[in-house]
Amino acid sequence: SSGLHNLDPIKELLGIRTIDVFTQEDALKLIATQTKLDFTPGTAFSYHRSDTEIILLAKIIENVTKNSFIDFTTQQVFKPLGMNNTMYNNNRSILSNTAQSYRIEEVTYLQPINDLTLGPTNLYTTAEDLAIFYQNFTTPKSRVAELLPKLDSYVTLDSGKEFASIWGKMTLGRYFDHPERGLPKMSWQFGLVGGYACNVFRFHSKNFISFVLGNNNRYNGMPAMLMAYEVLEDDFTKPHFIDYSTIDIVKLKQKTLKKYEGHYWKKANGLVR
């Protein structure tokens, strides 16, 4: 809710490509050049990406603790949580047993991560460690774990209104809350950097979490949700498929449909169709 501009659009305007090396120092210099805000702080929320704020937070942590962000998060966050195979890495050090980032098209090729910023990206983990992380939401086992439920608090603007996006209410942990097939509270989160992607579905009322990690630039939300369907099938109150024969449908002529063809732009969150 700071109103600071996200870095991705600025990088595009400057001709900085995703394949170009972009460091933490580059990011801080770019952030320092901003002279105007996108909106008055507290009046809106930039929910697609908040790289700017997270990079600044990482820098604040380094200045206050006199320690690197990598060392601080390892010693103060991941180890207390029991996540011993999780760490930030700036791609300059080689990690062992790491799945490479690649893309599948007509041919398969490597897609290295050249965005070396720490905080919004370059966090490496395992399925086992991610499971440990989410277990701490319901059964905290450390002082750090006691802070995690705060991530489920809704983003609240200065007006007192809870921020909602097209995908549902937004939480401080960047989850989108919305019902799924009749279950009242389900949180969804998705991330994609290079070839690495992760989808997480949390069914709060059932204390059940389904997630998939991938490294081939493919959307993996469907297999993650299908796993949830397998386990929770008897708990859903609405069917998996819609029976369109039970719905009143108005057939429109081709001439009427043609009127709606074109490019659609939603300024509020930069969506184009």
Side-chain angles (χ1 to χ4, degrees), residues 67-236:
N67 205 350
S68 73
F69 185 66
I70 294 175
D71 289 343
F72 174 83
T73 50
T74 297
Q75 298 300 325
Q76 302 298 326
V77 180
F78 302 131
K79 282 194 173 181
L81 291 177
M83 300 169 66
N84 297 319
N85 291 301
T86 301
M87 69 173 293
Y88 279 102
N89 180 47
N90 64 0
N91 258 15
R92 292 192 177 100
S93 58
I94 298 175
L95 297 177
S96 61
N97 301 322
T98 302
Q100 295 200 66
S101 166
Y102 65 96
R103 176 187 287 270
I104 297 178
E105 291 182 355
E106 292 181 359
V107 296
T108 300
Y109 59 91
L110 291 175
Q111 188 174 15
I113 307 299
N114 289 323
D115 183 346
L116 305 182
T117 52
L118 295 175
T121 186
N122 288 300
L123 175 64
Y124 290 79
T125 190
T126 64
E128 291 82 2
D129 272 17
L130 198 55
I132 290 172
F133 177 77
Y134 285 115
Q135 286 171 355
N136 275 291
F137 274 82
T138 52
T139 53
K141 296 178 181 178
S142 72
R143 181 173 173 271
V144 176
E146 293 172 3
L147 300 174
L148 294 182
K150 290 182 181 291
L151 298 176
D152 286 336
S153 303
Y154 291 122
V155 170
T156 305
L157 304 177
D158 289 352
S159 63
K161 182 180 178 181
E162 291 178 344
F163 179 80
S165 74
I166 56 174
W167 292 309
K169 282 187 179 181
M170 185 82 193
T171 71
L172 294 177
R174 304 192 69 75
Y175 295 95
F176 302 101
D177 270 16
H178 61 85
E180 175 70 22
R181 289 181 58 193
L183 289 182
K185 186 172 173 60
M186 192 278 290
S187 300
W188 167 72
Q189 189 178 53
F190 168 68
L192 172 65
V193 177
Y196 298 119
C198 180
N199 271 273
V200 180
F201 297 97
R202 298 172 56 207
F203 294 85
H204 297 251
S205 62
K206 300 300 176 181
N207 194 22
F208 178 81
I209 298 170
S210 176
F211 65 83
V212 170
L213 299 168
N215 63 321
N216 62 0
N217 198 257
R218 298 290 181 90
Y219 175 74
N220 49 38
M222 186 59 70
M225 182 56 78
L226 288 175
M227 285 196 296
Y229 286 171
E230 286 292 323
V231 177
L232 302 176
E233 186 57 43
D234 295 337
D235 297 300
F236 291 112

Side-chain angles (χ1 to χ4, degrees), residues 45-62:
F45 191 81
S46 178
Y47 67 91
H48 278 301
R49 296 287 292 271
S50 288
D51 290 14
T52 300
E53 291 85 352
I54 300 174
I55 289 169
L56 289 175
L57 179 59
K59 182 62 176 174
I60 290 170
I61 288 172
E62 289 186 337

